[in-house]
Amino acid sequence: MLKPIFIVLVALAAVACVPNGAAELEVLAELGNKKLYIEDISDHLPKPGQMDEADSISLVNRLVRQWAENELLVEAAEFNLTTELEDFEGLVKQYRNDLLKHAYIDGYVRQHLDTTISQQQIQDYYDQNLSNFELKESIVQAYYAAAPLKAQKTQEAKRWFLSDRYQEKYLDWAEVFVTKQSNYGDSAWVPMMDFLQEIPLESTNPYNYLNRRKRFTCEDTALVYFVQVNALLIKDSYSPLPYVEERIKKVLLNKRRLTLIEQIEEKIIEHAIEEGTLIIH
């Protein structure tokens, strides 16, 4: 049976009138031998003048009720869950210990982890684990720029772009009229489907289309797109190193992190044995 619990609330209207020094000792509520003081909720109260008296009283009353509800629920749980209480206390203790261990290990790793990874280390890991880097999707190394269909000399610009002889003319024209372009350089690898979503290419076999044409143009209702394709790799082939370089860095850093954790766990045992605080029979 739930034991009786009584709460005594003070006159909340007096809260706004109590001087600062006295307010810190003002009791707002009592629950058995527990007391809630104004200073306990001071961080949640507005500064003088920010709220009228009626709203201030309403806020204090709400905070007091929240405190009371929390304390009452905890007491009710402790009273009614006596058989489970030991399990809860064990879980709380384990949770506290886990938090402490995590904070200590995390601080140790941050202090000692060497985050410098050379290009040779990346290359070595890539070569030794090449089978782990099969592409799950086709990727493309490409770039596009787009200009309004109504821009001056658009038709000439198309011919210049498609011709090796007139690339300089195209570039001069593009510098003036291009209003949109890809957000990555022409040496970056991106998923082919992501690239295709950015250009209005109409093709039933986009892989073959991109594979056969190093330069092409396509249009929507407002823009003409000038597309340069530098390379294309199909799904299930091996990823080029630049495409997985950041992934490899994360793997290598995580390996170093795990090694540091193993080291600190071993060192702390060895130190305790040397100091005589740990005796293993």
Side-chain angles (χ1 to χ4, degrees):
M1 180 177 178
L2 186 64
K3 64 180 180 180
I5 300 173
F6 302 96
I7 301 177
V8 180
L9 298 179
V10 300
L12 296 176
V15 171
C17 306
V18 178
N20 288 340
E24 294 179 357
L25 302 177
E26 187 72 23
V27 178
L28 295 179
E30 296 182 25
L31 177 60
N33 60 356
K34 299 175 183 176
K35 294 181 180 180
L36 176 68
Y37 295 91
I38 288 181
E39 64 177 355
D40 296 328
I41 63 170
S42 60
D43 290 341
H44 302 284
L45 297 178
K47 295 180 180 179
Q50 288 185 337
M51 188 179 291
D52 60 37
E53 183 175 328
D55 289 338
S56 296
I57 293 172
S58 176
L59 173 61
V60 172
N61 187 41
R62 188 162 63 251
L63 292 171
V64 169
R65 291 187 66 85
Q66 289 174 356
W67 172 83
E69 288 170 2
N70 181 68
E71 295 296 332
L72 285 166
L73 284 171
V74 171
E75 288 201 12
E78 290 176 342
F79 182 78
N80 289 280
L81 300 175
T82 52
T83 56
E84 295 93 341
L85 197 55
E86 288 187 8
D87 292 337
F88 287 149
E89 289 175 348
L91 289 172
V92 169
K93 182 178 180 181
Q94 183 61 50
Y95 181 64
R96 177 181 180 276
N97 290 343
D98 289 343
L99 286 177
L100 288 172
K101 288 189 295 183
H102 176 77
Y104 175 68
I105 290 174
D106 190 56
Y108 180 88
V109 169
R110 283 201 309 271
Q111 184 178 357
H112 294 87
L113 181 63
D114 179 9
T115 57
T116 302
I117 297 177
S118 69
Q119 197 62 38
Q120 186 60 52
Q121 289 172 319
I122 295 172
Q123 182 70 57
D124 290 344
Y125 186 86
Y126 175 80
D127 293 338
Q128 295 164 12
N129 299 274
L130 190 58
S131 60
N132 294 333
F133 299 115
E134 288 186 1
L135 287 168
K136 305 302 181 185
E137 59 185 344
S138 298
I139 61 175
V140 64
Q141 195 180 60
Y143 174 85
Y144 73 84
L149 281 170
K150 296 181 179 180
Q152 296 178 16
K153 297 185 177 181
T154 299
Q155 295 305 317
E156 290 92 331
K158 290 181 182 179
R159 292 195 298 272
W160 297 335
F161 176 71
L162 297 175
S163 170
D164 291 333
R165 293 179 58 189
Y166 296 102
Q167 279 298 296
E168 188 173 339
K169 279 192 173 184
Y170 162 74
L171 292 174
D172 290 340
W173 178 89
E175 188 173 347
V176 176
F177 294 105
V178 163
T179 58
K180 178 183 178 182
Q181 58 188 0
S182 47
N183 295 323
Y184 35 82
D186 56 5
S187 62
W189 289 95
V190 295
M192 186 182 73
M193 296 309 297
D194 290 355
F195 182 76
L196 290 173
Q197 288 178 359
E198 297 187 37
I199 62 174
L201 176 64
E202 295 182 4
S203 173
T204 56
N205 193 332
Y207 175 83
N208 284 343
Y209 193 95
L210 295 181
N211 197 38
R212 292 198 311 266
R213 294 170 175 82
K214 297 306 178 185
R215 292 195 201 108
F216 63 90
T217 63
C218 52
E219 302 174 2
D220 57 22
T221 57
L223 300 171
V224 54
Y225 290 73
F226 301 83
V227 183
Q228 170 87 37
V229 180
N230 295 328
L232 184 63
L233 287 175
I234 195 170
K235 176 184 175 182
D236 296 328
S237 57
Y238 292 124
S239 301
L241 178 57
Y243 191 64
V244 293
E245 186 168 327
E246 288 303 314
R247 176 178 156 194
I248 292 174
K249 285 181 180 179
K250 290 179 181 178
V251 170
L252 293 176
L253 283 175
N254 191 54
K255 284 179 174 290
R256 291 181 183 179
R257 181 179 180 277
L258 293 176
T259 299
L260 281 175
I261 292 173
E262 290 177 0
Q263 289 176 355
I264 186 59
E265 290 172 345
E266 291 175 2
K267 286 180 179 179
I268 206 165
I269 291 289
E270 292 173 0
H271 180 72
I273 292 174
E274 290 174 0
E275 293 292 315
T277 56
L278 173 64
I279 300 174
I280 300 177
H281 298 284

